[in-house]
Amino acid sequence: MPELPEVEVTRRSIAERLRGAQVTSVRCGKPLRWPLGCAPELLVGSRLGEVTRRGKYLWLPMNRHTGLPPAGLDGGLLMHLGMSGSLAFHDSADDPGPHAHFDLGTTQGLLRLTDPRRFGAVLWSQAIDAAPAALLLARLGAEPFDPALTPQVLHAACRRRKVAIKTLLLGGQVIVGAGNIYACEALFRAGIDPRTRCDRLSLPGCTRLLAALRETLGRALEVGGSTLRDFSDAHGVAGEFQAEAMVYGRDGQRCLRCGAAVRRIVQAQRSTYFCPVCQKRA
Ligand SMILES: [Zn+2]
């Protein structure tokens, strides 16, 4: 499943080429998670602005233009890669194959959403802060690198909840971006047992956790950035990052720090990997 680093790597890989491009065609394939929300042909003529990201959503802003018709629309497309989606430029609109469910033809290339499981979405919105985009984005927690997200803010949010810290991270209501591999690795780096109830985490614990999460995601972005040219899409990021994981996927193997056996447990129906020696309950 594409996580925040993969989505950010995708953003970086498409943003420059799309900036200033004009929409020349739109093709919708099989239904995605939600309908597009406007007639596809109305988008033709729109000029694209700077692609941004919020959580795992990408926002492609568009403006109508004053030249020859069609003029396009003011607004933008909110995109989500779902469980299995990827976005990449393709040379030709011909022969899209069975899993290409959205093509955005532009003057600078054809951007295609390929999504075998079709949990992804492309959704028209009049603005990022108007419905429907605003309704979806309102549910998201803080961006992990937002300077306004301080250890104090995290500590206050943790004190209001009683779930295990790993479950809180995965839920995304407090901080977005801690997908399973990143949550496990960040908790290891911070030396926190994933079963710790979040209302028992200390302020120093929250300080270590926030720093560890930023290091973990920062490293994933580095891996993604450095290997991007080798991928047709960003899906290789988590795989590449996993090669240097300290605990994720390593149950039964020796902890790389202390030598104890790494354990696997299930929390909220997801596998958690941790070192019972290096990671302490608060
Ligand atoms: Zn250990």
Side-chain angles (χ1 to χ4, degrees):
M1 169 158 42
E3 299 291 352
L4 187 143
E6 289 92 317
V7 178
E8 175 60 17
V9 166
T10 299
R11 187 193 70 77
R12 292 176 188 179
S13 72
I14 63 172
E16 194 176 333
R17 194 157 159 189
L18 284 181
R19 193 183 302 127
Q22 210 166 354
V23 177
T24 53
S25 64
V26 177
R27 186 190 69 87
C28 295
K30 286 190 188 153
L32 292 163
R33 186 158 178 182
W34 300 297
L36 180 61
C38 75
E41 59 273 16
L42 290 180
L43 301 180
V44 174
S46 304
R47 199 171 285 283
L48 287 151
E50 184 73 27
V51 181
T52 56
R53 180 192 55 76
R54 176 75 178 94
K56 295 202 283 181
Y57 289 92
L58 292 173
W59 172 245
L60 281 61
M62 292 179 179
N63 283 108
R64 60 191 292 124
H65 71 101
T66 53
L68 294 170
L73 285 178
D74 283 323
L77 293 175
L78 192 70
M79 292 186 150
H80 196 285
L81 302 179
M83 305 284 286
S84 59
S86 59
L87 275 172
F89 284 99
H90 286 255
D91 292 334
S92 162
D94 301 339
D95 191 25
H99 303 306
H101 302 304
F102 186 80
D103 281 358
L104 188 70
T106 79
T107 49
Q108 322 235 34
L110 179 93
L111 184 72
R112 171 169 291 163
L113 175 68
T114 304
D115 187 1
R117 296 183 64 182
R118 291 195 283 125
F119 285 103
V122 181
L123 196 59
W124 166 258
S125 192
Q126 278 198 338
I128 194 167
D129 55 1
L135 298 176
L136 292 165
L137 300 180
R139 298 176 197 159
L140 303 180
E143 283 292 323
F145 292 102
D146 184 345
L149 176 64
T150 61
Q152 288 76 11
V153 168
L154 177 58
H155 188 231
C158 282
R159 290 189 67 171
R160 290 194 296 271
R161 293 166 172 86
K162 292 184 179 2
V163 295
I165 185 61
K166 161 79 184 325
T167 306
L168 182 86
L169 287 176
L170 265 192
Q173 301 95 334
V174 173
I175 310 178
V176 295
N180 205 20
I181 182 169
Y182 306 115
C184 291
E185 292 297 305
L187 286 164
F188 177 80
R189 280 181 195 238
I192 295 169
D193 187 308
R195 297 165 295 184
T196 305
R197 247 176 58 175
C198 53
D199 59 339
R200 300 209 173 124
L201 264 184
S202 63
L203 180 57
C206 289
T207 306
R208 291 201 312 279
L209 179 57
L210 190 55
L213 183 63
R214 286 171 172 165
E215 280 168 26
T216 304
L217 291 172
R219 179 61 196 148
L221 285 172
E222 247 175 62
V223 168
S226 64
T227 52
L228 183 62
R229 60 181 164 275
D230 300 331
F231 306 130
S232 61
D233 56 64
H235 279 202
V237 177
E240 200 76 9
F241 178 79
Q242 195 178 331
E244 54 186 71
M246 299 291 281
V247 286
Y248 187 85
R250 299 191 66 249
D251 53 316
Q253 299 178 46
R254 288 188 178 282
C255 169
L256 297 170
R257 193 173 289 162
C258 76
V262 171
R263 279 190 61 193
R264 173 186 170 274
I265 56 172
V266 174
Q267 292 179 289
Q269 287 110 47
R270 302 293 301 276
S271 289
T272 297
Y273 300 90
F274 70 106
C275 172
V277 176
C278 292
Q279 296 175 250
K280 305 264 188 296
R281 288 221 203 206

